[in-house]
PDB file of all heavy atoms in Angstrom:
ATOM      1  N   VAL A 134      12.780  -5.181  -2.322  1.00  0.00           N
ATOM      2  CA  VAL A 134      12.065  -5.401  -3.581  1.00  0.00           C
ATOM      3  C   VAL A 134      10.597  -5.036  -3.412  1.00  0.00           C
ATOM      4  O   VAL A 134       9.985  -4.390  -4.278  1.00  0.00           O
ATOM      5  CB  VAL A 134      12.219  -6.861  -4.045  1.00  0.00           C
ATOM      6  CG1 VAL A 134      11.308  -7.146  -5.238  1.00  0.00           C
ATOM      7  CG2 VAL A 134      13.670  -7.164  -4.399  1.00  0.00           C
ATOM      8  N   GLY A 135      10.031  -5.429  -2.273  1.00  0.00           N
ATOM      9  CA  GLY A 135       8.634  -5.115  -2.006  1.00  0.00           C
ATOM     10  C   GLY A 135       8.369  -3.621  -1.960  1.00  0.00           C
ATOM     11  O   GLY A 135       7.330  -3.150  -2.444  1.00  0.00           O
ATOM     12  N   ASN A 136       9.295  -2.864  -1.396  1.00  0.00           N
ATOM     13  CA  ASN A 136       9.129  -1.406  -1.345  1.00  0.00           C
ATOM     14  C   ASN A 136       9.113  -0.806  -2.745  1.00  0.00           C
ATOM     15  O   ASN A 136       8.313   0.090  -3.045  1.00  0.00           O
ATOM     16  CB  ASN A 136      10.235  -0.776  -0.507  1.00  0.00           C
ATOM     17  CG  ASN A 136       9.917  -0.734   0.970  1.00  0.00           C
ATOM     18  OD1 ASN A 136       9.769   0.319   1.571  1.00  0.00           O
ATOM     19  ND2 ASN A 136       9.814  -1.904   1.579  1.00  0.00           N
ATOM     20  N   VAL A 137      10.008  -1.277  -3.601  1.00  0.00           N
ATOM     21  CA  VAL A 137      10.043  -0.784  -4.981  1.00  0.00           C
ATOM     22  C   VAL A 137       8.731  -1.140  -5.692  1.00  0.00           C
ATOM     23  O   VAL A 137       8.121  -0.296  -6.372  1.00  0.00           O
ATOM     24  CB  VAL A 137      11.251  -1.361  -5.744  1.00  0.00           C
ATOM     25  CG1 VAL A 137      11.221  -0.949  -7.209  1.00  0.00           C
ATOM     26  CG2 VAL A 137      12.562  -0.899  -5.099  1.00  0.00           C
ATOM     27  N   VAL A 138       8.294  -2.372  -5.520  1.00  0.00           N
ATOM     28  CA  VAL A 138       7.059  -2.839  -6.158  1.00  0.00           C
ATOM     29  C   VAL A 138       5.860  -2.024  -5.679  1.00  0.00           C
ATOM     30  O   VAL A 138       5.027  -1.566  -6.480  1.00  0.00           O
ATOM     31  CB  VAL A 138       6.854  -4.335  -5.857  1.00  0.00           C
ATOM     32  CG1 VAL A 138       5.438  -4.779  -6.207  1.00  0.00           C
ATOM     33  CG2 VAL A 138       7.872  -5.168  -6.615  1.00  0.00           C
ATOM     34  N   LEU A 139       5.771  -1.814  -4.377  1.00  0.00           N
ATOM     35  CA  LEU A 139       4.634  -1.084  -3.823  1.00  0.00           C
ATOM     36  C   LEU A 139       4.625   0.372  -4.278  1.00  0.00           C
ATOM     37  O   LEU A 139       3.561   0.951  -4.536  1.00  0.00           O
ATOM     38  CB  LEU A 139       4.673  -1.153  -2.292  1.00  0.00           C
ATOM     39  CG  LEU A 139       4.344  -2.521  -1.695  1.00  0.00           C
ATOM     40  CD1 LEU A 139       4.720  -2.551  -0.220  1.00  0.00           C
ATOM     41  CD2 LEU A 139       2.871  -2.849  -1.877  1.00  0.00           C
ATOM     42  N   ALA A 140       5.807   0.979  -4.366  1.00  0.00           N
ATOM     43  CA  ALA A 140       5.887   2.373  -4.798  1.00  0.00           C
ATOM     44  C   ALA A 140       5.452   2.523  -6.258  1.00  0.00           C
ATOM     45  O   ALA A 140       4.827   3.525  -6.630  1.00  0.00           O
ATOM     46  CB  ALA A 140       7.297   2.910  -4.606  1.00  0.00           C
ATOM     47  N   ILE A 141       5.776   1.530  -7.071  1.00  0.00           N
ATOM     48  CA  ILE A 141       5.294   1.552  -8.461  1.00  0.00           C
ATOM     49  C   ILE A 141       3.785   1.345  -8.490  1.00  0.00           C
ATOM     50  O   ILE A 141       3.057   2.010  -9.232  1.00  0.00           O
ATOM     51  CB  ILE A 141       6.004   0.467  -9.295  1.00  0.00           C
ATOM     52  CG1 ILE A 141       7.495   0.794  -9.424  1.00  0.00           C
ATOM     53  CG2 ILE A 141       5.354   0.319 -10.663  1.00  0.00           C
ATOM     54  CD1 ILE A 141       8.311  -0.329 -10.034  1.00  0.00           C
ATOM     55  N   LEU A 142       3.306   0.446  -7.630  1.00  0.00           N
ATOM     56  CA  LEU A 142       1.880   0.117  -7.613  1.00  0.00           C
ATOM     57  C   LEU A 142       1.020   1.298  -7.162  1.00  0.00           C
ATOM     58  O   LEU A 142      -0.095   1.489  -7.660  1.00  0.00           O
ATOM     59  CB  LEU A 142       1.655  -1.074  -6.680  1.00  0.00           C
ATOM     60  CG  LEU A 142       0.313  -1.805  -6.731  1.00  0.00           C
ATOM     61  CD1 LEU A 142      -0.011  -2.236  -8.140  1.00  0.00           C
ATOM     62  CD2 LEU A 142       0.355  -3.007  -5.795  1.00  0.00           C
ATOM     63  N   VAL A 143       1.512   2.112  -6.250  1.00  0.00           N
ATOM     64  CA  VAL A 143       0.734   3.244  -5.753  1.00  0.00           C
ATOM     65  C   VAL A 143       0.801   4.435  -6.708  1.00  0.00           C
ATOM     66  O   VAL A 143       0.011   5.375  -6.607  1.00  0.00           O
ATOM     67  CB  VAL A 143       1.193   3.652  -4.338  1.00  0.00           C
ATOM     68  CG1 VAL A 143       2.463   4.466  -4.372  1.00  0.00           C
ATOM     69  CG2 VAL A 143       0.097   4.418  -3.603  1.00  0.00           C
ATOM     70  N   THR A 144       1.729   4.386  -7.679  1.00  0.00           N
ATOM     71  CA  THR A 144       1.906   5.510  -8.604  1.00  0.00           C
ATOM     72  C   THR A 144       0.657   5.831  -9.416  1.00  0.00           C
ATOM     73  O   THR A 144       0.252   7.000  -9.487  1.00  0.00           O
ATOM     74  CB  THR A 144       3.119   5.248  -9.515  1.00  0.00           C
ATOM     75  OG1 THR A 144       4.303   5.282  -8.720  1.00  0.00           O
ATOM     76  CG2 THR A 144       3.224   6.298 -10.606  1.00  0.00           C
ATOM     77  N   PRO A 145       0.000   4.860 -10.060  1.00  0.00           N
ATOM     78  CA  PRO A 145      -1.229   5.211 -10.793  1.00  0.00           C
ATOM     79  C   PRO A 145      -2.352   5.687  -9.876  1.00  0.00           C
ATOM     80  O   PRO A 145      -3.247   6.409 -10.319  1.00  0.00           O
ATOM     81  CB  PRO A 145      -1.602   3.922 -11.524  1.00  0.00           C
ATOM     82  CG  PRO A 145      -0.886   2.834 -10.809  1.00  0.00           C
ATOM     83  CD  PRO A 145       0.364   3.441 -10.264  1.00  0.00           C
ATOM     84  N   ILE A 146      -2.314   5.294  -8.598  1.00  0.00           N
ATOM     85  CA  ILE A 146      -3.315   5.792  -7.649  1.00  0.00           C
ATOM     86  C   ILE A 146      -3.066   7.270  -7.373  1.00  0.00           C
ATOM     87  O   ILE A 146      -3.993   8.091  -7.372  1.00  0.00           O
ATOM     88  CB  ILE A 146      -3.273   4.969  -6.347  1.00  0.00           C
ATOM     89  CG1 ILE A 146      -3.626   3.507  -6.625  1.00  0.00           C
ATOM     90  CG2 ILE A 146      -4.204   5.569  -5.297  1.00  0.00           C
ATOM     91  CD1 ILE A 146      -3.510   2.589  -5.421  1.00  0.00           C
ATOM     92  N   LEU A 147      -1.798   7.619  -7.157  1.00  0.00           N
ATOM     93  CA  LEU A 147      -1.443   9.022  -6.936  1.00  0.00           C
ATOM     94  C   LEU A 147      -1.819   9.882  -8.138  1.00  0.00           C
ATOM     95  O   LEU A 147      -2.489  10.912  -8.000  1.00  0.00           O
ATOM     96  CB  LEU A 147       0.067   9.132  -6.673  1.00  0.00           C
ATOM     97  CG  LEU A 147       0.630  10.548  -6.606  1.00  0.00           C
ATOM     98  CD1 LEU A 147       0.216  11.242  -5.317  1.00  0.00           C
ATOM     99  CD2 LEU A 147       2.152  10.531  -6.732  1.00  0.00           C
ATOM    100  N   ASN A 148      -1.414   9.458  -9.314  1.00  0.00           N
ATOM    101  CA  ASN A 148      -1.659  10.260 -10.516  1.00  0.00           C
ATOM    102  C   ASN A 148      -3.118  10.221 -10.955  1.00  0.00           C
ATOM    103  O   ASN A 148      -3.654  11.220 -11.437  1.00  0.00           O
ATOM    104  CB  ASN A 148      -0.750   9.789 -11.647  1.00  0.00           C
ATOM    105  CG  ASN A 148       0.707  10.112 -11.376  1.00  0.00           C
ATOM    106  OD1 ASN A 148       1.022  11.116 -10.750  1.00  0.00           O
ATOM    107  ND2 ASN A 148       1.611   9.256 -11.841  1.00  0.00           N
ATOM    108  N   GLY A 149      -3.768   9.069 -10.789  1.00  0.00           N
ATOM    109  CA  GLY A 149      -5.159   8.948 -11.189  1.00  0.00           C
ATOM    110  C   GLY A 149      -6.103   9.773 -10.333  1.00  0.00           C
ATOM    111  O   GLY A 149      -7.204  10.107 -10.762  1.00  0.00           O
ATOM    112  N   SER A 150      -5.660  10.108  -9.125  1.00  0.00           N
ATOM    113  CA  SER A 150      -6.487  10.924  -8.227  1.00  0.00           C
ATOM    114  C   SER A 150      -6.147  12.402  -8.326  1.00  0.00           C
ATOM    115  O   SER A 150      -6.717  13.217  -7.599  1.00  0.00           O
ATOM    116  CB  SER A 150      -6.290  10.467  -6.778  1.00  0.00           C
ATOM    117  OG  SER A 150      -4.943  10.690  -6.376  1.00  0.00           O
ATOM    118  N   GLY A 151      -5.204  12.757  -9.198  1.00  0.00           N
ATOM    119  CA  GLY A 151      -4.809  14.152  -9.318  1.00  0.00           C
ATOM    120  C   GLY A 151      -3.946  14.634  -8.183  1.00  0.00           C
ATOM    121  O   GLY A 151      -3.920  15.832  -7.882  1.00  0.00           O
ATOM    122  N   GLY A 152      -3.224  13.710  -7.546  1.00  0.00           N
ATOM    123  CA  GLY A 152      -2.299  14.103  -6.482  1.00  0.00           C
ATOM    124  C   GLY A 152      -2.828  13.928  -5.080  1.00  0.00           C
ATOM    125  O   GLY A 152      -2.245  14.443  -4.121  1.00  0.00           O
ATOM    126  N   SER A 153      -3.915  13.189  -4.914  1.00  0.00           N
ATOM    127  CA  SER A 153      -4.462  12.945  -3.579  1.00  0.00           C
ATOM    128  C   SER A 153      -3.423  12.275  -2.685  1.00  0.00           C
ATOM    129  O   SER A 153      -2.691  11.378  -3.112  1.00  0.00           O
ATOM    130  CB  SER A 153      -5.693  12.048  -3.661  1.00  0.00           C
ATOM    131  OG  SER A 153      -6.098  11.610  -2.377  1.00  0.00           O
ATOM    132  N   LEU A 154      -3.369  12.702  -1.431  1.00  0.00           N
ATOM    133  CA  LEU A 154      -2.562  12.003  -0.428  1.00  0.00           C
ATOM    134  C   LEU A 154      -3.424  11.085   0.433  1.00  0.00           C
ATOM    135  O   LEU A 154      -2.892  10.229   1.140  1.00  0.00           O
ATOM    136  CB  LEU A 154      -1.827  13.011   0.457  1.00  0.00           C
ATOM    137  CG  LEU A 154      -0.725  13.798  -0.246  1.00  0.00           C
ATOM    138  CD1 LEU A 154      -0.135  14.848   0.685  1.00  0.00           C
ATOM    139  CD2 LEU A 154       0.367  12.866  -0.751  1.00  0.00           C
ATOM    140  N   LEU A 155      -4.735  11.275   0.366  1.00  0.00           N
ATOM    141  CA  LEU A 155      -5.649  10.433   1.129  1.00  0.00           C
ATOM    142  C   LEU A 155      -5.535   8.976   0.719  1.00  0.00           C
ATOM    143  O   LEU A 155      -5.371   8.083   1.568  1.00  0.00           O
ATOM    144  CB  LEU A 155      -7.084  10.931   0.931  1.00  0.00           C
ATOM    145  CG  LEU A 155      -8.197  10.046   1.513  1.00  0.00           C
ATOM    146  CD1 LEU A 155      -8.111  10.011   3.028  1.00  0.00           C
ATOM    147  CD2 LEU A 155      -9.572  10.548   1.064  1.00  0.00           C
ATOM    148  N   TRP A 156      -5.592   8.700  -0.588  1.00  0.00           N
ATOM    149  CA  TRP A 156      -5.600   7.315  -1.060  1.00  0.00           C
ATOM    150  C   TRP A 156      -4.254   6.633  -0.889  1.00  0.00           C
ATOM    151  O   TRP A 156      -4.209   5.460  -0.463  1.00  0.00           O
ATOM    152  CB  TRP A 156      -6.095   7.251  -2.497  1.00  0.00           C
ATOM    153  CG  TRP A 156      -7.529   7.663  -2.602  1.00  0.00           C
ATOM    154  CD1 TRP A 156      -8.023   8.815  -3.137  1.00  0.00           C
ATOM    155  CD2 TRP A 156      -8.655   6.944  -2.086  1.00  0.00           C
ATOM    156  NE1 TRP A 156      -9.389   8.861  -3.009  1.00  0.00           N
ATOM    157  CE2 TRP A 156      -9.814   7.727  -2.366  1.00  0.00           C
ATOM    158  CE3 TRP A 156      -8.813   5.724  -1.422  1.00  0.00           C
ATOM    159  CZ2 TRP A 156     -11.092   7.319  -1.999  1.00  0.00           C
ATOM    160  CZ3 TRP A 156     -10.091   5.325  -1.068  1.00  0.00           C
ATOM    161  CH2 TRP A 156     -11.207   6.110  -1.355  1.00  0.00           C
ATOM    162  N   PRO A 157      -3.110   7.290  -1.166  1.00  0.00           N
ATOM    163  CA  PRO A 157      -1.832   6.651  -0.834  1.00  0.00           C
ATOM    164  C   PRO A 157      -1.679   6.355   0.658  1.00  0.00           C
ATOM    165  O   PRO A 157      -1.077   5.341   1.037  1.00  0.00           O
ATOM    166  CB  PRO A 157      -0.799   7.681  -1.308  1.00  0.00           C
ATOM    167  CG  PRO A 157      -1.472   8.384  -2.441  1.00  0.00           C
ATOM    168  CD  PRO A 157      -2.908   8.489  -2.009  1.00  0.00           C
ATOM    169  N   MET A 158      -2.239   7.215   1.511  1.00  0.00           N
ATOM    170  CA  MET A 158      -2.162   6.946   2.951  1.00  0.00           C
ATOM    171  C   MET A 158      -2.986   5.726   3.329  1.00  0.00           C
ATOM    172  O   MET A 158      -2.553   4.892   4.137  1.00  0.00           O
ATOM    173  CB  MET A 158      -2.618   8.176   3.731  1.00  0.00           C
ATOM    174  CG  MET A 158      -1.627   9.330   3.689  1.00  0.00           C
ATOM    175  SD  MET A 158      -2.143  10.780   4.633  1.00  0.00           S
ATOM    176  CE  MET A 158      -1.815  10.212   6.312  1.00  0.00           C
ATOM    177  N   LEU A 159      -4.179   5.586   2.738  1.00  0.00           N
ATOM    178  CA  LEU A 159      -4.996   4.400   3.008  1.00  0.00           C
ATOM    179  C   LEU A 159      -4.332   3.144   2.436  1.00  0.00           C
ATOM    180  O   LEU A 159      -4.400   2.063   3.042  1.00  0.00           O
ATOM    181  CB  LEU A 159      -6.390   4.587   2.418  1.00  0.00           C
ATOM    182  CG  LEU A 159      -7.257   5.651   3.107  1.00  0.00           C
ATOM    183  CD1 LEU A 159      -8.571   5.843   2.360  1.00  0.00           C
ATOM    184  CD2 LEU A 159      -7.513   5.269   4.562  1.00  0.00           C
ATOM    185  N   PHE A 160      -3.698   3.287   1.270  1.00  0.00           N
ATOM    186  CA  PHE A 160      -2.922   2.191   0.687  1.00  0.00           C
ATOM    187  C   PHE A 160      -1.840   1.753   1.673  1.00  0.00           C
ATOM    188  O   PHE A 160      -1.668   0.554   1.947  1.00  0.00           O
ATOM    189  CB  PHE A 160      -2.297   2.682  -0.621  1.00  0.00           C
ATOM    190  CG  PHE A 160      -1.444   1.678  -1.343  1.00  0.00           C
ATOM    191  CD1 PHE A 160      -1.963   0.920  -2.381  1.00  0.00           C
ATOM    192  CD2 PHE A 160      -0.100   1.514  -1.022  1.00  0.00           C
ATOM    193  CE1 PHE A 160      -1.169   0.012  -3.066  1.00  0.00           C
ATOM    194  CE2 PHE A 160       0.700   0.616  -1.699  1.00  0.00           C
ATOM    195  CZ  PHE A 160       0.163  -0.152  -2.720  1.00  0.00           C
ATOM    196  N   HIS A 161      -1.112   2.708   2.215  1.00  0.00           N
ATOM    197  CA  HIS A 161      -0.021   2.417   3.158  1.00  0.00           C
ATOM    198  C   HIS A 161      -0.578   1.765   4.428  1.00  0.00           C
ATOM    199  O   HIS A 161       0.031   0.844   4.982  1.00  0.00           O
ATOM    200  CB  HIS A 161       0.696   3.724   3.497  1.00  0.00           C
ATOM    201  CG  HIS A 161       2.044   3.527   4.113  1.00  0.00           C
ATOM    202  ND1 HIS A 161       3.141   4.296   3.787  1.00  0.00           N
ATOM    203  CD2 HIS A 161       2.502   2.647   5.046  1.00  0.00           C
ATOM    204  CE1 HIS A 161       4.187   3.911   4.483  1.00  0.00           C
ATOM    205  NE2 HIS A 161       3.821   2.909   5.258  1.00  0.00           N
ATOM    206  N   TRP A 162      -1.712   2.252   4.873  1.00  0.00           N
ATOM    207  CA  TRP A 162      -2.324   1.693   6.083  1.00  0.00           C
ATOM    208  C   TRP A 162      -2.652   0.226   5.907  1.00  0.00           C
ATOM    209  O   TRP A 162      -2.472  -0.581   6.835  1.00  0.00           O
ATOM    210  CB  TRP A 162      -3.585   2.494   6.413  1.00  0.00           C
ATOM    211  CG  TRP A 162      -4.168   2.222   7.770  1.00  0.00           C
ATOM    212  CD1 TRP A 162      -3.489   1.869   8.909  1.00  0.00           C
ATOM    213  CD2 TRP A 162      -5.546   2.281   8.143  1.00  0.00           C
ATOM    214  NE1 TRP A 162      -4.363   1.723   9.963  1.00  0.00           N
ATOM    215  CE2 TRP A 162      -5.630   1.972   9.519  1.00  0.00           C
ATOM    216  CE3 TRP A 162      -6.709   2.601   7.453  1.00  0.00           C
ATOM    217  CZ2 TRP A 162      -6.848   1.959  10.214  1.00  0.00           C
ATOM    218  CZ3 TRP A 162      -7.912   2.586   8.137  1.00  0.00           C
ATOM    219  CH2 TRP A 162      -7.983   2.264   9.506  1.00  0.00           C
ATOM    220  N   GLN A 163      -3.128  -0.134   4.730  1.00  0.00           N
ATOM    221  CA  GLN A 163      -3.434  -1.542   4.492  1.00  0.00           C
ATOM    222  C   GLN A 163      -2.168  -2.402   4.563  1.00  0.00           C
ATOM    223  O   GLN A 163      -2.236  -3.577   4.943  1.00  0.00           O
ATOM    224  CB  GLN A 163      -4.091  -1.726   3.118  1.00  0.00           C
ATOM    225  CG  GLN A 163      -5.535  -1.286   3.057  1.00  0.00           C
ATOM    226  CD  GLN A 163      -6.463  -2.287   3.740  1.00  0.00           C
ATOM    227  OE1 GLN A 163      -6.251  -2.688   4.896  1.00  0.00           O
ATOM    228  NE2 GLN A 163      -7.502  -2.691   3.040  1.00  0.00           N
ATOM    229  N   LEU A 164      -1.036  -1.848   4.211  1.00  0.00           N
ATOM    230  CA  LEU A 164       0.202  -2.622   4.233  1.00  0.00           C
ATOM    231  C   LEU A 164       0.618  -2.999   5.654  1.00  0.00           C
ATOM    232  O   LEU A 164       1.329  -3.987   5.852  1.00  0.00           O
ATOM    233  CB  LEU A 164       1.333  -1.821   3.569  1.00  0.00           C
ATOM    234  CG  LEU A 164       1.089  -1.356   2.129  1.00  0.00           C
ATOM    235  CD1 LEU A 164       2.298  -0.577   1.631  1.00  0.00           C
ATOM    236  CD2 LEU A 164       0.780  -2.537   1.215  1.00  0.00           C
ATOM    237  N   ILE A 165       0.208  -2.199   6.638  1.00  0.00           N
ATOM    238  CA  ILE A 165       0.613  -2.446   8.026  1.00  0.00           C
ATOM    239  C   ILE A 165      -0.594  -2.729   8.914  1.00  0.00           C
ATOM    240  O   ILE A 165      -0.498  -2.685  10.141  1.00  0.00           O
ATOM    241  CB  ILE A 165       1.412  -1.251   8.588  1.00  0.00           C
ATOM    242  CG1 ILE A 165       0.627   0.051   8.435  1.00  0.00           C
ATOM    243  CG2 ILE A 165       2.756  -1.131   7.882  1.00  0.00           C
ATOM    244  CD1 ILE A 165       1.315   1.266   9.050  1.00  0.00           C
ATOM    245  N   ASN A 166      -1.715  -3.040   8.283  1.00  0.00           N
ATOM    246  CA  ASN A 166      -2.942  -3.336   9.014  1.00  0.00           C
ATOM    247  C   ASN A 166      -2.735  -4.583   9.879  1.00  0.00           C
ATOM    248  O   ASN A 166      -2.399  -5.657   9.358  1.00  0.00           O
ATOM    249  CB  ASN A 166      -4.077  -3.571   8.008  1.00  0.00           C
ATOM    250  CG  ASN A 166      -5.441  -3.642   8.662  1.00  0.00           C
ATOM    251  OD1 ASN A 166      -5.593  -4.163   9.763  1.00  0.00           O
ATOM    252  ND2 ASN A 166      -6.446  -3.126   7.970  1.00  0.00           N
ATOM    253  N   PRO A 167      -2.929  -4.473  11.201  1.00  0.00           N
ATOM    254  CA  PRO A 167      -2.674  -5.631  12.077  1.00  0.00           C
ATOM    255  C   PRO A 167      -3.653  -6.774  11.884  1.00  0.00           C
ATOM    256  O   PRO A 167      -3.434  -7.872  12.427  1.00  0.00           O
ATOM    257  CB  PRO A 167      -2.784  -5.037  13.489  1.00  0.00           C
ATOM    258  CG  PRO A 167      -3.685  -3.859  13.331  1.00  0.00           C
ATOM    259  CD  PRO A 167      -3.360  -3.300  11.968  1.00  0.00           C
ATOM    260  N   LEU A 168      -4.716  -6.565  11.124  1.00  0.00           N
ATOM    261  CA  LEU A 168      -5.660  -7.654  10.860  1.00  0.00           C
ATOM    262  C   LEU A 168      -5.083  -8.679   9.894  1.00  0.00           C
ATOM    263  O   LEU A 168      -5.451  -9.861   9.949  1.00  0.00           O
ATOM    264  CB  LEU A 168      -6.968  -7.099  10.271  1.00  0.00           C
ATOM    265  CG  LEU A 168      -7.834  -6.234  11.187  1.00  0.00           C
ATOM    266  CD1 LEU A 168      -9.020  -5.691  10.397  1.00  0.00           C
ATOM    267  CD2 LEU A 168      -8.319  -7.041  12.392  1.00  0.00           C
ATOM    268  N   TRP A 169      -4.175  -8.232   9.019  1.00  0.00           N
ATOM    269  CA  TRP A 169      -3.684  -9.139   7.991  1.00  0.00           C
ATOM    270  C   TRP A 169      -2.525  -9.962   8.522  1.00  0.00           C
ATOM    271  O   TRP A 169      -1.666  -9.464   9.239  1.00  0.00           O
ATOM    272  CB  TRP A 169      -3.269  -8.369   6.733  1.00  0.00           C
ATOM    273  CG  TRP A 169      -4.258  -7.335   6.295  1.00  0.00           C
ATOM    274  CD1 TRP A 169      -3.995  -6.080   5.837  1.00  0.00           C
ATOM    275  CD2 TRP A 169      -5.684  -7.466   6.269  1.00  0.00           C
ATOM    276  NE1 TRP A 169      -5.154  -5.417   5.548  1.00  0.00           N
ATOM    277  CE2 TRP A 169      -6.213  -6.248   5.794  1.00  0.00           C
ATOM    278  CE3 TRP A 169      -6.570  -8.495   6.591  1.00  0.00           C
ATOM    279  CZ2 TRP A 169      -7.568  -6.027   5.655  1.00  0.00           C
ATOM    280  CZ3 TRP A 169      -7.942  -8.276   6.455  1.00  0.00           C
ATOM    281  CH2 TRP A 169      -8.430  -7.064   5.992  1.00  0.00           C
ATOM    282  N   PRO A 170      -2.468 -11.233   8.171  1.00  0.00           N
ATOM    283  CA  PRO A 170      -1.431 -12.123   8.714  1.00  0.00           C
ATOM    284  C   PRO A 170      -0.065 -11.853   8.095  1.00  0.00           C
ATOM    285  O   PRO A 170       0.050 -11.229   7.036  1.00  0.00           O
ATOM    286  CB  PRO A 170      -1.945 -13.507   8.320  1.00  0.00           C
ATOM    287  CG  PRO A 170      -2.736 -13.259   7.069  1.00  0.00           C
ATOM    288  CD  PRO A 170      -3.381 -11.921   7.252  1.00  0.00           C
ATOM    289  N   ASP A 171       0.955 -12.329   8.763  1.00  0.00           N
ATOM    290  CA  ASP A 171       2.321 -12.230   8.232  1.00  0.00           C
ATOM    291  C   ASP A 171       2.427 -13.143   7.013  1.00  0.00           C
ATOM    292  O   ASP A 171       2.228 -14.351   7.111  1.00  0.00           O
ATOM    293  CB  ASP A 171       3.321 -12.649   9.308  1.00  0.00           C
ATOM    294  CG  ASP A 171       4.762 -12.619   8.809  1.00  0.00           C
ATOM    295  OD1 ASP A 171       5.018 -11.950   7.788  1.00  0.00           O
ATOM    296  OD2 ASP A 171       5.620 -13.263   9.439  1.00  0.00           O
ATOM    297  N   ALA A 172       2.728 -12.540   5.878  1.00  0.00           N
ATOM    298  CA  ALA A 172       2.795 -13.305   4.632  1.00  0.00           C
ATOM    299  C   ALA A 172       4.162 -13.216   3.978  1.00  0.00           C
ATOM    300  O   ALA A 172       4.333 -13.611   2.822  1.00  0.00           O
ATOM    301  CB  ALA A 172       1.723 -12.813   3.664  1.00  0.00           C
ATOM    302  N   GLN A 173       5.161 -12.689   4.692  1.00  0.00           N
ATOM    303  CA  GLN A 173       6.512 -12.572   4.136  1.00  0.00           C
ATOM    304  C   GLN A 173       7.109 -13.958   3.900  1.00  0.00           C
ATOM    305  O   GLN A 173       6.950 -14.849   4.746  1.00  0.00           O
ATOM    306  CB  GLN A 173       7.410 -11.809   5.125  1.00  0.00           C
ATOM    307  CG  GLN A 173       7.226 -10.311   5.081  1.00  0.00           C
ATOM    308  CD  GLN A 173       8.003  -9.686   3.938  1.00  0.00           C
ATOM    309  OE1 GLN A 173       9.036 -10.206   3.519  1.00  0.00           O
ATOM    310  NE2 GLN A 173       7.513  -8.585   3.430  1.00  0.00           N
ATOM    311  N   PRO A 174       7.811 -14.192   2.797  1.00  0.00           N
ATOM    312  CA  PRO A 174       8.070 -13.275   1.688  1.00  0.00           C
ATOM    313  C   PRO A 174       7.090 -13.446   0.525  1.00  0.00           C
ATOM    314  O   PRO A 174       7.251 -12.834  -0.503  1.00  0.00           O
ATOM    315  CB  PRO A 174       9.466 -13.703   1.259  1.00  0.00           C
ATOM    316  CG  PRO A 174       9.458 -15.187   1.435  1.00  0.00           C
ATOM    317  CD  PRO A 174       8.588 -15.448   2.653  1.00  0.00           C
ATOM    318  N   PHE A 175       6.064 -14.323   0.713  1.00  0.00           N
ATOM    319  CA  PHE A 175       5.191 -14.660  -0.415  1.00  0.00           C
ATOM    320  C   PHE A 175       4.374 -13.456  -0.896  1.00  0.00           C
ATOM    321  O   PHE A 175       4.069 -13.345  -2.086  1.00  0.00           O
ATOM    322  CB  PHE A 175       4.268 -15.821  -0.032  1.00  0.00           C
ATOM    323  CG  PHE A 175       5.012 -17.090   0.268  1.00  0.00           C
ATOM    324  CD1 PHE A 175       5.227 -17.502   1.565  1.00  0.00           C
ATOM    325  CD2 PHE A 175       5.523 -17.873  -0.761  1.00  0.00           C
ATOM    326  CE1 PHE A 175       5.929 -18.661   1.846  1.00  0.00           C
ATOM    327  CE2 PHE A 175       6.226 -19.036  -0.501  1.00  0.00           C
ATOM    328  CZ  PHE A 175       6.429 -19.424   0.811  1.00  0.00           C
ATOM    329  N   ASP A 176       4.010 -12.562   0.047  1.00  0.00           N
ATOM    330  CA  ASP A 176       3.244 -11.398  -0.383  1.00  0.00           C
ATOM    331  C   ASP A 176       4.043 -10.526  -1.357  1.00  0.00           C
ATOM    332  O   ASP A 176       3.485  -9.924  -2.276  1.00  0.00           O
ATOM    333  CB  ASP A 176       2.778 -10.574   0.823  1.00  0.00           C
ATOM    334  CG  ASP A 176       3.903 -10.192   1.762  1.00  0.00           C
ATOM    335  OD1 ASP A 176       5.019 -10.720   1.607  1.00  0.00           O
ATOM    336  OD2 ASP A 176       3.664  -9.370   2.664  1.00  0.00           O
TER     337      ASP A 176
END
């Protein structure tokens, strides 16, 4: 469910940037950033 939600959430970022891959990559990086605590499943 989280994957579906995140893919929808990154969609306006992709389209709003005119197809940038830089911002979706930074978005993805934040999802696996080791600084952030384990928040499953509440996140």
